[in-house]
Amino acid sequence: MIPVRSRHLDGAEVSWFAPICNGDFEYMGVHDNSLKSTWENASNILLTADKLGYRNILCPSSYQVGQDTLTFASACAPLTKNINLLAAIRCGEVHPPMLARTVATLDHILKGRLTLNIISSNLPGTEMESAARYQRSREVIQILKQAWTQDEINFQGEYYNFKLPTEAVKPYQQNGGPLLYFGGYSPPGVDLCAEHCDVYLMWPETEERLHELMTNMSQKAAAYGRTVDFGLRIHVIVRETEAEAKAAARKLMSKLDAELGKDIRERALDAKSYGVSRQAEMRDAADLDGFVEPHLWTGIGRARSGCGAALVGNPAQILAKIQGYMDMGIRSFIFSGYPHLQECELFAKHILPHIKTISLPEELGRIPIETPLTPLGAGQRK
């Protein structure tokens, strides 16, 4: 059995996706002005997910298109009631001590409902080889943790050297600050997650390959005396019948030009990453209808660089697939669908009532109980 920190939990963190990077479609590859990544559209999806009972929502990061992640999250934060926000931070983009303060401030606005998605891709206009990028990310994470848990940042590394007081940057969450979610497949990335992060996010693959990824990560984490949790970022198309779900999948791709799909895949910052190549391998292994195993459909990856497969089926089939992932040890799911608002509502109608949903920060003791209203930084654990 794969060692998983939260294996004792009988529920899962069920999350949705905020399309703040111009990634919403009725037909893949066909832009619709009514689905553009405006503040109104994206925030409406986030607030709908909050009302429907999702426990977290990914706010992604992209330079070419869309909105700034932390600005968007900060604006949404006081409007939400229960949902956590999974804000993506691109390591190296913001001066680490200032990033520590920004994150701590947002965590206070959310009263501990902040989680972070660590990204190590190249910054726009730059090229850095993989090992160097992950080393920079490692240093950013170490600086953030010092800022959140110690009286000063005292750090000497390859990219950063600081000796600074940290009085003003303690987050709302205790025991280490916001949980760190990480997705990466190269050896330096796996090692970074094993040493410093909390949830290893995987893109959809066959169950056999997911098991291999989880086993490898668990072994790497054990070498650091740690265990991690596992998450799955995946699309979904659920309808009352399997035939309706497959028809919806065909409709979604029905207007995609092959050359346009290729251009969409190749223009992303992560287009040449190892993780993206694994998604391409999965598409190549699929049958003529795009299914690589029952109810796991790769057709959606013809127009996406990253997460390139969807669960397709009726409610019972989708639930069985999710339960299978949970039996493997996956405790966090980030779903999405097209159009995002419509699929968010359909998933909430057909699937959410049948899953015990949890908040990982609460389950792992990050959020203090009955914390008094104190000034930012005061009264927090040093």
Side-chain angles (χ1 to χ4, degrees), residues 16 33 47 84 112 173 234 248 266 374:
W16 198 250
N33 284 335
L47 296 176
N84 300 339
Q173 293 179 70
I234 192 168
E266 293 182 353
T374 54

Side-chain angles (χ1 to χ4, degrees), residues 92-132:
E93 193 171 58
V94 179
H95 186 63
M98 303 301 287
L99 179 62
R101 184 178 67 171
T102 298
V103 168
T105 302
L106 183 54
D107 194 38
H108 276 264
I109 296 171
L110 282 161
K111 293 294 186 288
R113 289 184 288 114
L114 179 65
T115 54
L116 297 175
N117 180 24
I118 299 295
I119 300 178
S120 296
S121 62
N122 279 312
L123 301 180
T126 69
E127 289 289 339
M128 181 182 288
E129 62 98 11
S130 177

Side-chain angles (χ1 to χ4, degrees), residues 136-187:
R136 180 176 63 187
S137 295
R138 175 179 277 100
E139 293 186 16
V140 171
I141 293 171
Q142 290 173 307
I143 292 165
L144 292 179
K145 289 186 175 182
Q146 284 191 14
W148 295 337
T149 63
Q150 300 179 15
D151 292 325
E152 70 173 8
I153 301 171
N154 190 346
F155 185 84
Q156 292 79 44
E158 293 181 39
Y159 297 94
Y160 302 104
N161 290 277
F162 296 116
K163 188 173 177 61
L164 292 168
T166 62
E167 178 60 31
V169 295
K170 298 297 180 286
Y172 184 92
Q173 293 179 70
Q174 300 179 1
N175 302 317
L179 293 178
L180 304 182
Y181 294 58
F182 176 90
Y185 292 85
S186 69

